[in-house]
């Protein structure tokens, strides 16, 4: 009973903290939005003076000429920047290529292991017109193993446990002395 009340209190506290955090986040977001709007207005007032539209046709044409001159200047600056960026990127690529050449190491793609029999490999390399059998086990000679004396002696000795059992006790020791002398 007391445990469920405690769990409810913890859950209620979590919900309350969550709602307070959400309220604080909403006010911070609103402040940020207002700050951005004022920054935008300040920037526009500094860089873009208000447009005065003159009444006569000659003044409108003069205004258009001035605006076109400003546009041309901005386009020239944009073009110069693009050329600088392209030149820098080309130099960067050349430097990277020189670096790879100096290292002497090129990135090799990871190879996958392919399970293929020797016959399938030869068929893939030589084509289907060549029929070569690469059954290596068929070409092996069978060699009969000759029994050496050591191997025969080892076979004759037999199990080592029998020798230990024979030598255990006084009779085994007596046999050892008799066989040595």
């Amino acid at each position: 009973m007391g445990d469920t009340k405690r769990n409810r209190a913890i859950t209620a506290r979590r919900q309350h903290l969550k709602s307070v955090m959400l309220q604080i986040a909403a006010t911070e977001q609103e402040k940020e939005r207002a700050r951005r709007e004022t920054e935008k207005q300040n920037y526009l007032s500094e860089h873009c003076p208000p447009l005065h539209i003159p009444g006569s046709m000659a003044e409108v044409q003069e205004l258009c000429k001035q605006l076109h001159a400003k546009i041309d200047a901005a386009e020239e600056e944009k073009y110069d920047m693009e050329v600088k960026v392209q030149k820098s990127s080309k130099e960067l690529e050349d430097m990277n290529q020189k670096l790879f050449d100096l290292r002497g190491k090129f990135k090799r793609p990871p190879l996958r292991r392919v399970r293929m029999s020797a016959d399938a490999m030869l068929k893939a390399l030589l084509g289907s017109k060549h029929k070569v059998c690469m059954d290596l086990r068929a070409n092996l000679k069978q060699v009969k193993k000759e029994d050496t004396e050591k191997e025969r002696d080892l076979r004759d000795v037999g199990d080592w446990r029998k020798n230990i059992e024979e030598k255990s006790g006084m009779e085994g020791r007596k046999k050892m002395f008799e066989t040595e002398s």
Side-chain angles (χ1 to χ4, degrees):
M1 206 51 155
D3 196 27
T4 57
K5 284 184 180 180
R6 199 178 91 191
N7 285 341
R8 286 182 193 161
I10 291 173
T11 306
R13 180 164 171 74
R14 281 187 191 154
Q15 290 294 328
H16 176 68
L17 288 174
K18 186 176 178 182
S19 65
V20 169
M21 287 174 59
L22 286 174
Q23 288 173 354
I24 292 171
T27 57
E28 290 294 322
Q29 205 172 25
E30 190 60 39
K31 287 178 186 176
E32 180 69 22
R33 192 177 299 124
R35 187 186 60 79
R36 282 187 184 169
E37 187 63 33
T38 56
E39 282 182 6
K40 181 179 175 183
Q41 291 299 325
N42 290 339
Y43 182 83
L44 288 176
S45 64
E46 285 179 16
H47 295 321
C48 299
L51 185 63
H52 300 291
I53 300 176
S56 69
M57 187 63 143
E59 291 176 356
V60 170
Q61 287 177 347
E62 185 64 33
L63 180 64
C64 286
K65 287 179 184 177
Q66 289 175 357
L67 290 176
H68 280 290
K70 288 182 181 180
I71 289 172
D72 289 341
E75 287 291 324
E76 286 177 13
E77 189 176 331
K78 176 185 156 194
Y79 178 75
D80 291 343
M81 292 287 192
E82 286 177 353
V83 169
K84 283 182 184 178
V85 167
Q86 288 175 354
K87 184 178 178 184
S88 297
S89 63
K90 180 68 175 158
E91 287 177 5
L92 189 63
E93 288 175 11
D94 291 342
M95 291 293 205
N96 282 338
Q97 185 63 38
K98 285 181 183 179
L99 184 68
F100 281 127
D101 290 344
L102 288 175
R103 280 187 191 164
K105 295 179 181 175
F106 295 99
K107 188 173 182 181
R108 292 178 179 89
L111 301 176
R112 291 184 299 155
R113 183 168 290 246
V114 179
R115 300 190 103 193
M116 191 181 255
S117 68
D119 289 331
M121 232 181 273
L122 279 175
K123 190 174 182 181
L125 289 172
L126 302 176
S128 60
K129 58 186 173 188
H130 295 285
K131 296 201 175 184
V132 179
C133 184
M134 283 294 293
D135 189 11
L136 297 175
R137 290 186 183 152
N139 296 335
L140 292 177
K141 294 180 180 177
Q142 287 190 348
V143 178
K144 289 207 173 194
K145 201 173 183 183
E146 293 182 20
D147 290 340
T148 60
E149 280 189 39
K150 287 183 181 179
E151 289 176 359
R152 270 189 239 127
D153 289 341
L154 285 175
R155 241 184 288 130
D156 293 341
V157 167
D159 194 10
W160 59 272
R161 283 178 241 127
K162 290 180 183 175
N163 291 338
I164 298 296
E165 288 173 0
E166 289 175 4
K167 293 179 182 177
S168 65
M170 288 304 285
E171 291 177 19
R173 291 189 197 284
K174 186 176 172 185
K175 285 180 187 175
M176 276 178 39
F177 286 115
E178 288 175 3
T179 56
E180 286 179 8
S181 47

